Amino acid sequence: MTEPTTADQARAIVYDAYTTGLSQAAAAQLLEGRATTAWVAHEYAALRRRGVSSMAGQQTLFDTETAE
């Protein structure tokens, strides 16, 4: 039996998907039916309104200036 995903957990998944440049459909698929595509679209829009870069995660992942 799988544990239910809390709203905070789902938002974290959507945030990670958004900041790594994944599509809304891919983010919804990551949630495996635990959230509607409309909810994912709403969360993506909220992140855009807040000014969060859709590539922020990739910029951090591939930042060569801070690499050791």
Side-chain angles (χ1 to χ4, degrees):
M1 178 190 301
T2 61
E3 292 185 31
T5 301
T6 67
D8 289 339
Q9 290 170 327
R11 280 189 185 94
I13 292 168
V14 169
Y15 179 87
D16 288 344
Y18 178 81
T19 58
T20 55
L22 290 178
S23 69
Q24 292 178 19
Q29 194 171 28
L30 287 172
L31 290 166
E32 299 173 343
R34 293 174 282 194
T36 65
T37 54
W39 183 84
V40 172
H42 175 267
E43 291 298 312
Y44 265 52
L47 290 167
R48 278 192 297 275
R49 280 192 306 274
R50 287 184 13 216
V52 176
S53 170
S54 63
M55 301 306 267
Q58 289 187 13
Q59 292 167 352
T60 302
L61 184 63
F62 297 108
D63 185 8
T64 57
E65 291 183 21
T66 60
E68 296 176 12

